[in-house]
Structure formats: structure tokens, C-alpha cells
Amino acid sequence: MSDLPLARRDQIAGRLSAGQAVIAAALANEFGVSEDAIRRDLRALAAEGRCRRVYGGALPIAGGMTPMAARIGQDRERKLALARTAVRSIARGEFLFLDSGSTNLALAEVLPDDFDLTIATNAVDIAAAVLHRQDLHLIVIGGSVHAAVGGCVDADALMQVQRLNIDRCFVGACAVSAQGGISALDPTDAAFKRTLLSLSRVSVAMVTNEKLETRAPHRIAAAKTISQTIVEHDAPAARLALLRRAGATIVTASPPA
């Protein structure tokens, strides 16, 4: 095996991408280096969003749980197209909740001006984006930040959100399907989202194509319970037909600018 750090790191990254967990001690023995060297490799890979550090090694990251920081720049124009469609239904003076998610971050960028909107969010990046707008009232739901989710979904955050009466929530979803409804990869995140939906008069999910008719382990709600599911302009017709048969209300976004 090569003892070049970058070559070694690439081999470790390849195993993680293939869904394999890695153990630092075993890797150190295999590559003939110290465990400290392997730990440096794993720290670097975790910083790139390619693994999740655990005691003694690292675990692969499921596709939908790539850290929020790594998702922000992905498919930006498509997410903005979803967001521009979503804002059309927002009424003046509404109290909105923007759940964690890169598509909801895109929504924060295109909220209408001078609509006397109050925005609550549990997401760090969304709060920062809203803070730059002088015409928006901001409420931040705090707690311990979950790096992959990109926001706070712990017990403190859950307690804070239960005090709100929300007009319209934009809920993040890791997967959406006719049979599985909308679902999440993290159980704590899913519990937070279920509570959020129960407190909201209207619920909206903006869904990019790769999430349609996929499943995640933690169910949030049935597809028919979401007030609007906004999909991309080129969403596969067969997948949309399944969702409509399950009772989902589908809104199709305009093509990206």
C-alpha cells in the first residue's frame, strides 16, 4: 500500500463511499502508519462531508445526510425555481417557519419585500440569511446544532417550537413517496418535523427530483397530509402519478431561470 497521505486518504474515502465503516486501528495496521495519522485522515474527510466520525473510526454518510454546508451549492438554480413558486402562496403578515434544508435556504433568499413577515427557523444558515433582511422579523429556535441537519432538533428546540402558532411551515424532507410519505434519515429530526407539522395551519414541502419515490427510515407524515408538495418542472410523470393517487396535492414549479 502506498504511504502517501493523499493516496491513503483516497482509498479510505473510496471505502466510505461504498458504504463501508472504517476502524482507525485496523487502517493504521493495514497502511503501516500511526493511528494519529489515520485520525487526521478521518478528520479531513469528515470536514469535506464524506464521513461521520465515531469513537475508534468513521461511518459513511447516507446521501440525504450530507452536511448542510455541503448541500448549499448543489442544484442551486433548481432549488431557487422551487422557492420562487412557493412564495406565490405566501400572504402578507404571515408567520412562517423555515425548517432546516438547503431548498428552504433558497426560499429565504426570495421572500417578498415589505410583506410584514415573521420568520421562525431552527437552521443556522437560514437565520443568517434572514438576519440580513431589515423587513423581516426573525425568531431563532435554538439548542444543540446537528451538523448534518444544519439546525437544532434536540429537546430544547422541540420545547421552544411547541410555543408557536405557525401560519405556514416549509418542512424539509429527505425522501418522499406514495407509500412512505415524507420521511427523514435522522430520528430526532423526524420527531422535530412531526411536531412542526402539528403546529402549522398550512404545510409545504419543496422536493427536488432525486427525493421522489425514495424512502428514508423515519416517517414524518403521509403525503396527503401536506398542504402542498412543490416539485420540479421536469419531475417524472410516473412518480407524480403515484403521489397523486396517494392523495398528495402537487404543484409544479416553473423551469429554472
Side-chain angles (χ1 to χ4, degrees):
M1 294 293 180
S2 171
D3 60 353
L4 294 174
L6 291 179
R8 181 181 68 236
R9 193 173 297 170
D10 285 343
Q11 290 189 49
I12 296 170
R15 296 178 193 184
L16 289 161
S17 296
Q20 300 177 30
V22 295
I23 300 171
L27 291 173
N29 183 61
E30 177 183 348
F31 289 103
V33 296
S34 68
E35 286 191 43
D36 283 342
I38 296 297
R39 282 192 285 269
R40 285 194 294 271
D41 291 339
L42 298 180
R43 280 197 296 270
L45 292 171
E48 295 171 6
R50 302 170 75 178
C51 71
R52 179 164 63 90
R53 293 291 311 281
V54 294
Y55 182 77
L59 298 174
I61 292 180
M65 286 305 287
T66 303
M68 173 75 160
R71 301 197 308 269
I72 288 175
Q74 296 174 353
D75 298 323
R76 175 173 166 77
E77 291 304 319
R78 285 179 170 268
K79 292 172 182 177
L80 283 170
L82 291 170
R84 292 189 181 106
T85 299
V87 299
R88 297 173 190 163
S89 63
I90 294 173
R92 185 178 297 275
E94 280 193 331
F95 180 16
L96 310 179
F97 195 103
L98 273 57
D99 186 25
S100 295
S102 55
T103 308
N104 287 343
L105 176 60
L107 178 65
E109 299 176 22
V110 298
L111 288 170
D113 295 330
D114 299 318
F115 248 47
D116 191 30
L117 298 174
T118 298
I119 311 298
T121 185
N122 61 327
V124 176
D125 292 293
I126 293 174
V130 171
L131 188 61
H132 293 301
R133 290 275 301 270
Q134 299 300 313
D135 61 322
L136 299 174
H137 310 287
L138 174 63
I139 298 172
V140 179
I141 301 300
S144 178
V145 176
H146 189 306
V149 172
C152 304
V153 292
D154 63 1
D156 286 340
L158 200 62
M159 183 173 63
Q160 291 172 52
V161 80
Q162 287 173 335
R163 299 169 182 163
L164 304 179
N165 286 316
I166 301 162
D167 290 322
R168 187 182 305 268
C169 81
F170 293 87
V171 62
C174 298
V176 177
S177 70
Q179 186 175 14
I182 68 168
S183 49
L185 291 162
D186 182 86
T188 310
D189 186 33
F192 183 90
K193 295 177 191 301
R194 284 192 290 268
T195 300
L196 178 61
L197 290 176
S198 73
L199 299 165
S200 303
R201 186 171 53 85
V202 176
S203 57
V204 182
M206 296 182 287
V207 184
T208 48
N209 288 346
E210 76 274 7
K211 295 180 180 180
L212 290 172
E213 286 307 304
T214 60
R215 294 174 63 87
H218 304 287
R219 184 182 177 93
I220 299 166
K224 66 182 179 181
T225 64
I226 305 300
S227 306
Q228 286 187 341
T229 299
I230 302 177
V231 300
E232 295 191 64
H233 73 288
D234 57 353
R239 296 181 182 183
L240 297 185
L242 290 173
L243 284 170
R244 288 192 175 100
R245 284 201 290 272
T249 300
I250 303 294
V251 175
T252 302
S254 301

